[in-house]
């Protein structure tokens, strides 16, 4: 790197290059140590899930399994006991999908339409309403828990999957609206005005002009909602019935049930299974999420 | 759909028949109506409902015999609630401070034209995708004294190594901090990194031409311009801290005893398992107060700032 026959300004650079090199090494060391800290829990979970109980007892967290045991995965999936039923976490895994898919679709659609109205069809009080809605993004849900439980009872959807879908839609719409509103803010209002003069109506403009450019924000919203709803525990534990529990609740029951010896390998396998869908979404679409998030969230 | 109003000729000539425009004008309001209704009822209505309950003597079922501030008095005379509030202070303070510090530092480090930046960023960020229940389960395993880190260090030859925070009532709250920082700091890093990338490049070049060192440039020019990111991160983190419920449920279940309870867990326990609805509602209202104290100034500055654009 250090060219001896370089010009004057390179000489200045060369003077600091020794220190620079040390700093550079220190920088990479810090980054790698931190990366190890972030990776360790997952590596330990994976290693533990592949050991048998004897190896877990005698080995340490980071010791490699002597042979790969996948039976803990099979047990976690189909025969481990969560609370009082012993069918593994697979039924609850399916419950989570039955909750998350309709809830994501409905809350994203509502968010898109609301965001479209708030940024491009402002009416008297729409800004005020938007502010009122933002509060809904941040309230501690403890403050609505009890009335919502009563309401679900009155509606006859307490302890059902539909009930949980309803709850997730109600408290997800504020966020989805926020995302779409921020995204649509950058669309010039003249575009809508021109389209109206050409005779396009509310839905035509949405369908023909707005939706085609919305892909990035739809991706962000879907990822956000999917992660939020899949990872939810509070609504799951407060509003689900015995058969409609989401996987987070089942995992917690599994880990906190202790009949006889604790099977840590099964616990860890179940935890990884419960984390897989959101991890997969993150690995495959995380790039778009971060990109979209910085466009939406940072600018507020 | 709804395009008849403007169908014939240019819009200006329609002024004679405003009635025909009305459906198109109403459409935005009609499609927003369900959200407006749901927001008013399920957010504001329920808030008021819970507030009302917090002034009643409700126990197992909601009842409407008003008792004034009695539940709030009971709440603040309740040792378990005071432990939960203190824990929130310790947990929230440390969690927010460490996440912000790590987030800024890591973002600046990653901003130095690092090789394999994408891979490192992915590693820092993945915990964010995982639920607090899974995070709690993983750290419960790592931190337990019989099998976890303590045993590992002893097996490595550090025979006197002791790390029993998870079962130590004085230290257990710091276990919550470790797990929560692991989960959220990468996200803060991503926010700041995005912010750094958005800083005007010419400004930085000018600073360098003026002879400012990298350190000075960050301290005097780049970081001050990241104030909005800082506030966004602060709001998101305090929100996570105040609503933390699942992490406690999975990592410590509030124990040992109730040493690691947070207000969210207190509220759930008293409302749903101890049949003290009035007391639970009062605790929820205190939590709401904490959130609003942070949120209202933030929203106010955000919305006011918007008008200048």
């Amino acid at each position: 790197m250090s060219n001896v026959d370089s010009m004057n300004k390179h000489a200045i650079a060369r003077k600091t290059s020794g220190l620079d090199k040390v700093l550079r090494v220190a920088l990479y060391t810090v980054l790698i140590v931190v990366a190890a800290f972030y990776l360790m829990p997952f590596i330990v979970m994976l290693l533990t899930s592949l050991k048998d109980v004897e190896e877990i007892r005698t080995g340490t967290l980071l010791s490699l399994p002597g042979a790969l045991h996948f039976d803990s995965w099979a047990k976690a999936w189909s025969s481990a006991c969560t609370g009082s039923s012993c069918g593994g976490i697979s039924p609850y895994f399916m419950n989570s999908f039955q909750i998350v898919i309709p809830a994501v679709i409905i809350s994203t659609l509502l968010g898109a339409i609301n965001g479209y109205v708030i940024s491009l069809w402002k009416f008297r009080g729409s800004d005020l309403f938007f502010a009122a809605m933002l509060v809904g993004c941040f309230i501690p849900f403890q403050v609505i828990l009890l009335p919502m439980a009563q309401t679900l009872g009155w509606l006859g959807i307490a302890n059902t999957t539909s009930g949980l879908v309803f709850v997730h839609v109600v408290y997800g719409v504020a966020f989805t609206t926020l995302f779409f509103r921020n995204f649509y803010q950058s669309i010039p209002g003249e575009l809508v005005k021109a389209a109206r003069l050409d005779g396009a109506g509310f839905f035509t403009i949405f369908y023909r002009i707005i939706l085609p450019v919305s892909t990035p924000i739809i991706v962000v919203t879907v990822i956000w909602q999917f992660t939020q709803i899949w990872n939810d525990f509070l609504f799951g534990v407060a509003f689900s019935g015995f058969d409609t529990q989401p996987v987070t609740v089942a995992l917690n029951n599994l880990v906190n049930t202790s009949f006889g010896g604790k099977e840590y390998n099964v616990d860890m396998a179940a935890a990884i299974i419960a984390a897989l869908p959101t991890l997969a979404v993150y690995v495959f679409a995380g790039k778009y999420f971060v990109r979209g998030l910085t466009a939406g969230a940072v600018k507020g | 759909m709804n395009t008849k109003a403007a169908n014939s000729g240019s819009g200006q000539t329609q002024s004679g028949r405003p009635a025909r425009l009305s459906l198109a004008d109403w459409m935005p309001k009609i499609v927003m109506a369900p959200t407006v209704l749901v927001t008013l009822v399920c957010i504001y209505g329920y808030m008021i409902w819970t507030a009302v309950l917090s002034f009643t003597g409700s126990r197992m079922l909601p009842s409407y015999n008003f008792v004034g501030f009695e539940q709030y008095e009971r709440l603040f005379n309740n040792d378990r609630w005071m432990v939960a509030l203190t824990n929130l202070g310790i947990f929230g303070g440390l969690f927010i401070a460490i996440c912000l510090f790590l987030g800024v530092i890591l973002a600046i480090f990653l901003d130095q034209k690092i090789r394999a930046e994408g891979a490192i960023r992915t590693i820092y960020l993945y915990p964010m995708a995982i639920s607090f229940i899974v995070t709690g389960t993983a750290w419960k395993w790592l931190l337990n004294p019989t099998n976890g880190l303590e045993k590992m260090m002893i097996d490595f030859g550090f025979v006197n190594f002791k790390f029993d925070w998870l079962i130590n009532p004085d230290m257990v709250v710091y276990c919550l901090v470790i797990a929560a920082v692991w989960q959220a700091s990468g996200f803060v890093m991503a926010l700041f990194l995005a912010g750094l990338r958005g800083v005007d490049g010419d400004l930085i070049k000018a600073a360098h031409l003026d002879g400012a060192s990298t350190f000075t440039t960050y301290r005097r020019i780049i970081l001050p311009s990241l104030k909005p990111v800082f506030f966004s991160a602060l709001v998101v983190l305090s929100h996570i801290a105040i609503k933390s419920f699942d992490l406690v449920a999975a990592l410590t279940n509030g124990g040992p005893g109730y040493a690691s309870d947070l207000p969210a867990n207190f509220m759930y326990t008293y409302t749903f398992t101890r049949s003290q609805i009035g007391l639970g509602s009062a605790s929820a209202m205190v939590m709401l107060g904490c959130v609003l104290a942070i949120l209202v100034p933030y929203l106010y500055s955000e919305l006011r700032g918007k008008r200048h654009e």
Side-chain angles (χ1 to χ4, degrees):
Chain A
M1 278 298 228
S2 52
N3 267 338
V4 189
D5 51 22
S6 62
M7 288 183 347
N8 208 10
K9 61 176 176 183
H10 285 118
I12 300 167
R14 208 171 49 229
K15 241 193 237 165
T16 58
S17 76
L19 179 66
D20 270 359
K21 224 171 246 171
V22 175
L23 280 179
R24 213 69 196 151
V25 172
L27 181 62
Y28 274 97
T29 312
V30 171
L31 288 176
I32 290 168
V33 168
V34 176
F37 169 72
Y38 284 111
L39 273 180
M40 187 187 62
F42 190 75
I43 292 174
V44 169
M45 283 166 85
L46 196 61
L47 288 176
T48 308
S49 76
L50 295 171
K51 292 173 186 171
D52 65 20
V53 177
E54 184 56 21
E55 268 182 307
I56 292 173
R57 215 174 48 77
T58 54
T60 66
L61 288 176
L62 287 171
S63 59
L64 297 173
L68 298 184
H69 299 273
F70 288 101
D71 36 325
S72 57
W73 285 69
K75 187 168 182 191
W77 181 249
S78 56
S79 66
C81 297
T82 62
S84 54
S85 83
C86 292
I89 62 166
S90 53
Y92 308 103
F93 192 81
M94 296 309 164
N95 284 347
S96 277
F97 272 111
Q98 280 176 20
I99 297 161
V100 88
I101 291 171
V104 167
I105 293 173
I106 298 170
S107 61
T108 305
L109 276 177
L110 280 174
I113 278 283
N114 291 342
Y116 168 59
V117 170
I118 289 174
S119 47
L120 298 166
W121 292 80
K122 286 188 200 298
F123 52 84
R124 250 173 68 97
S126 62
D127 277 337
L128 185 71
F129 175 70
F130 179 62
M133 216 174 159
L134 277 184
V135 174
C137 293
F138 292 103
I139 56 161
F141 288 133
Q142 279 71 22
V143 89
I144 52 90
L145 223 43
L146 198 73
M148 183 48 104
Q150 293 242 302
T151 310
L152 290 178
W154 290 331
L155 294 175
I157 49 174
N159 302 336
T160 66
T161 303
S162 326
L164 276 175
V165 171
F166 176 73
V167 173
H168 282 298
V169 168
V170 166
Y171 298 106
V173 160
F175 261 107
T176 58
T177 302
L178 172 69
F179 285 156
F180 279 99
R181 179 264 188 189
N182 285 352
F183 185 79
Y184 291 153
Q185 280 296 81
S186 59
I187 294 176
E190 288 75 32
L191 197 69
V192 171
K193 266 185 208 141
R196 283 181 82 176
L197 290 183
D198 286 346
F202 180 81
F203 283 109
T204 316
I205 296 173
F206 181 64
Y207 190 73
R208 293 273 183 79
I209 302 176
I210 306 295
L211 265 193
V213 299
S214 303
T215 318
I217 196 62
I218 293 174
V219 172
V220 169
T221 309
V222 167
I223 296 174
W224 173 268
Q225 283 298 90
F226 183 87
T227 326
Q228 290 298 307
I229 298 170
W230 185 276
N231 288 345
D232 162 72
F233 178 72
L234 180 63
F235 290 152
V237 79
F239 301 139
S240 70
F242 184 67
D243 297 324
T244 54
Q245 286 173 352
V247 71
T248 45
V249 177
L251 173 65
N252 196 47
N253 287 342
L254 172 82
V255 174
N256 288 324
T257 309
S258 43
F259 299 128
K262 198 84 196 83
E263 295 178 297
Y264 294 107
N265 48 358
V266 177
D267 289 359
M268 291 302 125
I272 297 177
I273 293 171
L276 273 183
T278 49
L279 273 181
V281 165
Y282 167 72
V283 170
F284 290 120
K287 200 168 58 180
Y288 305 100
F289 182 67
V290 173
R291 206 179 290 161
L293 199 66
T294 56
V298 176
K299 283 179 195 154
Chain B
M1 252 190 273
N2 316 312
T3 56
K4 273 184 195 149
N7 250 350
S8 50
S10 71
Q12 279 93 337
T13 60
Q14 293 294 313
S15 53
R17 312 191 59 179
R20 297 185 67 184
L21 277 168
S22 65
L23 182 60
D25 285 345
W26 273 99
M27 216 53 217
K29 291 175 194 172
I30 293 169
V31 299
M32 280 290 282
T35 311
V36 175
L37 186 74
V38 151
T39 302
L40 290 182
V41 173
C42 298
I43 295 176
Y44 292 90
Y46 288 2
M47 259 187 221
I48 294 168
W49 190 343
T50 304
V52 168
L53 283 175
S54 75
F55 292 109
T56 68
S58 305
R59 296 180 76 88
M60 203 162 96
L61 291 167
S63 69
Y64 295 92
N65 58 320
F66 289 93
V67 296
F69 283 91
E70 194 185 303
Q71 300 288 11
Y72 290 89
E73 273 169 41
R74 282 181 63 207
L75 187 65
F76 283 93
N77 286 322
N78 184 317
D79 183 45
R80 185 166 178 176
W81 170 254
M82 293 319 283
V83 169
L85 261 192
T86 316
N87 280 344
L88 179 62
I90 299 173
F91 168 76
L94 281 176
F95 164 69
I96 292 169
I98 298 174
C99 278
L100 283 176
F101 177 77
L102 268 182
V104 172
I105 295 286
L106 291 177
I108 291 177
F109 282 5
L110 264 189
D111 198 31
Q112 306 305 313
K113 299 191 175 64
I114 293 299
R115 237 177 278 171
E117 186 204 309
I120 297 178
R121 210 180 45 210
T122 308
I123 294 172
Y124 290 180
L125 208 49
Y126 87 91
M128 184 196 77
I130 298 174
S131 70
F132 267 120
I133 294 294
V134 172
T135 301
T137 305
W139 282 95
K140 187 183 196 166
W141 173 232
L142 281 160
L143 296 172
N144 89 64
T146 32
N147 297 292
L149 283 171
E150 180 175 305
K151 177 165 181 269
M152 190 173 88
M153 296 306 277
I154 290 173
D155 287 353
F156 281 166
F158 302 93
V159 240
N160 293 319
F161 188 85
K162 202 161 155 54
F163 193 71
D164 62 350
W165 289 7
L166 197 61
I167 53 166
N168 181 340
D170 294 328
M171 302 304 284
V172 66
V173 65
Y174 301 102
C175 289
L176 296 177
V177 177
I178 295 174
V181 164
W182 178 77
Q183 166 117 0
S185 51
F187 177 66
V188 180
M189 184 273 307
L191 285 181
F192 277 106
L193 191 60
L196 287 176
R197 298 280 149 87
V199 175
D200 186 5
D202 292 338
L203 215 63
I204 299 168
K205 254 182 230 158
H208 276 296
L209 282 180
D210 286 346
S213 68
T214 311
F215 180 73
T216 318
T217 317
Y218 271 107
R219 196 169 60 90
R220 304 290 291 275
I221 295 171
I222 303 180
L223 287 182
S225 72
L226 292 187
K227 237 185 226 162
V229 184
F230 178 81
F231 280 115
S232 301
L234 190 67
V235 168
V236 172
L237 289 172
S238 28
H239 176 240
I240 293 177
I242 293 170
K243 74 164 202 179
S244 279
F245 166 74
D246 26 12
L247 181 64
V248 177
L251 183 60
T252 65
N253 203 11
Y258 49 81
S260 62
D261 247 359
L262 290 182
N265 305 81
F266 178 95
M267 185 275 169
Y268 187 85
T269 309
Y270 276 80
T271 308
F272 290 95
T273 61
R274 289 193 165 204
S275 304
Q276 298 275 347
I277 285 180
L279 193 65
S281 301
S283 69
M285 293 315 289
V286 176
M287 291 177 67
L288 179 67
C290 293
V291 172
L292 289 182
I294 300 167
L295 193 62
V296 169
Y298 172 75
L299 281 184
Y300 182 71
S301 69
E302 271 284 293
L303 293 173
R304 224 174 50 137
K306 283 274 140 51
R307 243 160 254 158
H308 293 300
E309 276 174 22

